[in-house]
Amino acid sequence: MAHDDRRLRVLRAIVQDYVSTNDPVGSKALAARYDLGVSPATIRNDMAVLEEEGYITQPHTSAGRVPTDKGYRFFVDRLSAVKPLSVAERRAIEKFLDGAVDLHDVLGRTVRLLAQLTRQVAVVQYPTLSRSAVRHLELVPLTASRLLMVLITDTGRVEQRVVEVAAEADADTVAELRTLLNASFTGAKLAEASGKVGDLVEGAPPHLRGLVAAVSATLLETLMEPTEDRLVIGGTANLARGSALDFPGTVRPLLEALEEQVVVLRLMAEVGPSTVLVSIGQENEHEALTGASFVSVGYGAGEQALGGLGVVGPTRMDYAGNMAAVRAVARYVGQLLAES
């Protein structure tokens, strides 16, 4: 058991040293830089066992060792505590995000902030429509026979549709229709709102029934339409900061996967609002991500995540620091959207 504890300390030191120096780690360097309480010979023996068990490996170009995906996973699973952010970092998050004017600005600022804090690629998912609720429905007359319907969700997402109406609608009629729509739909979850549309048409006053039917048909299309989830991405230049060992061969497949978004969105589908997920190297099913790690968490007030955010980078990353940054930013974004 004592051997296991010591080898865990050796593995932790190898991970920390390799992440910070970007150089494969030798036993002499470990003995000099870390107070492991044992001789370089014992460290060498422990490293040999760790290599045999698949936790570290030797790159062809160096005498030192680097962690494997299995080594990083063992390290992450045994992180006793996620490194807390400093007061200055927390203030920076608050100050940077507080100036946002709308949802697009919040998410744009979030990826820039995460990319700066972690020096990785930052990804933030737009709030998923199906998990949102109706905050307000606005109707704006465009011409005598056309209305602009604007659906605003509680997450700040805005969907706009043009409605063609058969009869001319004056300002008073449009105002009456707006009141009727908001009385029926405000606060309703989008996933449930479509079920209310039929009742609304049946219960509408006779003079409004034609308009309600036209607007309801467009509203139903909007609610049922599988609007494509989108990502905001920032900091892709950070991928070029590492060494040749970070992405052997080429980083192009990873860049293409980020650009296509589908792969990352699939990973985001798993996130919840409290647990930070870490997916390392070969654990990622998609080939383009097998050389990368993905640290993610859901954001949103309450039990259900409205969307996900995270960072993507080489497996050689500061897991404790990145997990703390992702968690803190997600918590703040969730509060910000709940208050807006």
Side-chain angles (χ1 to χ4, degrees):
M1 199 67 183
H3 293 316
D4 291 343
D5 288 345
R6 193 183 66 231
R7 279 175 201 140
L8 174 58
R9 290 202 306 276
V10 170
L11 178 61
R12 187 179 285 133
I14 292 169
V15 171
Q16 289 170 343
D17 202 74
Y18 182 52
V19 167
S20 62
T21 66
N22 203 4
D23 288 321
V25 188
S27 56
K28 284 181 186 172
L30 284 184
R33 290 185 196 135
Y34 298 89
D35 182 18
L36 295 169
V38 290
S39 69
T42 303
I43 293 172
R44 269 196 302 281
N45 289 339
D46 286 341
M47 288 176 76
V49 173
L50 288 168
E51 186 170 9
E52 195 177 306
E53 292 176 350
Y55 293 108
I56 59 175
T57 188
Q58 182 177 15
H60 300 304
T61 54
S62 166
R65 302 295 187 276
V66 300
T68 60
D69 291 353
K70 183 181 176 182
Y72 284 124
R73 169 50 63 196
F74 194 80
F75 170 77
V76 168
D77 287 347
R78 281 154 187 78
L79 276 176
S80 54
V82 171
K83 191 163 61 182
L85 294 189
S86 67
V87 174
E89 284 171 322
R90 289 185 179 281
R91 283 203 188 120
I93 292 173
E94 198 171 327
K95 189 176 177 187
F96 195 72
L97 293 181
D98 265 352
V101 294
D102 58 18
L103 176 66
H104 303 288
D105 195 17
V106 168
L107 301 188
R109 284 169 180 254
T110 299
V111 290
R112 292 200 300 279
L113 177 66
L114 262 180
Q116 284 169 18
L117 284 173
T118 63
R119 295 196 286 178
Q120 308 293 347
V121 181
V123 291
V124 183
Q125 180 186 20
Y126 266 80
T128 305
L129 260 183
S130 61
R131 296 176 192 166
S132 306
V134 177
R135 176 179 286 167
H136 184 69
L137 275 162
E138 187 56 64
L139 289 173
V140 182
L142 297 176
T143 66
S145 60
R146 297 175 92 198
L147 299 173
L148 177 67
M149 183 189 73
V150 184
L151 168 66
I152 303 165
T153 73
D154 59 347
T155 54
R157 189 157 173 171
V158 178
E159 296 288 323
Q160 299 184 35
R161 299 288 186 277
V162 173
V163 185
E164 303 283 348
V165 292
E168 217 171 287
D170 59 30
D172 289 343
T173 306
V174 171
E176 196 179 346
L177 180 59
R178 185 188 299 121
T179 302
L180 186 68
L181 287 170
N182 281 295
S184 295
F185 292 106
T186 300
K189 288 282 182 193
L190 265 61
E192 301 157 7
S194 55
K196 296 173 175 279
V197 172
D199 296 338
L200 181 68
V201 177
E202 283 178 22
H207 70 288
L208 284 179
R209 199 159 286 162
L211 277 173
V212 169
V215 171
S216 294
T218 304
L219 180 59
L220 198 56
E221 284 172 18
T222 308
L223 295 170
M224 301 295 281
E225 200 175 274
T227 46
E228 188 186 2
D229 282 322
R230 285 180 292 157
L231 289 176
V232 188
I233 298 174
T236 48
N238 286 330
L239 290 176
R241 289 175 46 256
S243 71
L245 286 174
D246 283 344
F247 295 102
T250 175
V251 76
R252 183 179 291 166
L254 178 56
L255 288 170
E256 286 172 354
L258 288 167
E259 199 175 311
E260 284 171 15
Q261 301 197 356
V262 179
V263 178
V264 180
L265 283 166
R266 203 173 294 138
L267 288 168
M268 289 281 194
E270 317 244 329
V271 296
S274 53
T275 307
V276 177
L277 297 180
V278 181
S279 184
I280 300 169
Q282 299 289 333
E283 295 171 0
N284 295 305
E285 288 178 14
H286 196 280
E287 196 180 340
L289 289 176
T290 53
S293 284
F294 185 45
V295 179
S296 60
V297 72
Y299 67 83
E303 288 302 303
Q304 193 176 33
L306 295 168
L309 59 79
V311 295
V312 181
T315 53
R316 182 189 64 83
M317 65 162 62
D318 173 11
Y319 288 98
N322 291 347
M323 288 164 76
V326 162
R327 181 184 286 167
V329 171
R331 194 173 292 146
Y332 201 81
V333 170
Q335 287 171 2
L336 208 57
L337 293 179
E339 291 163 7
S340 63

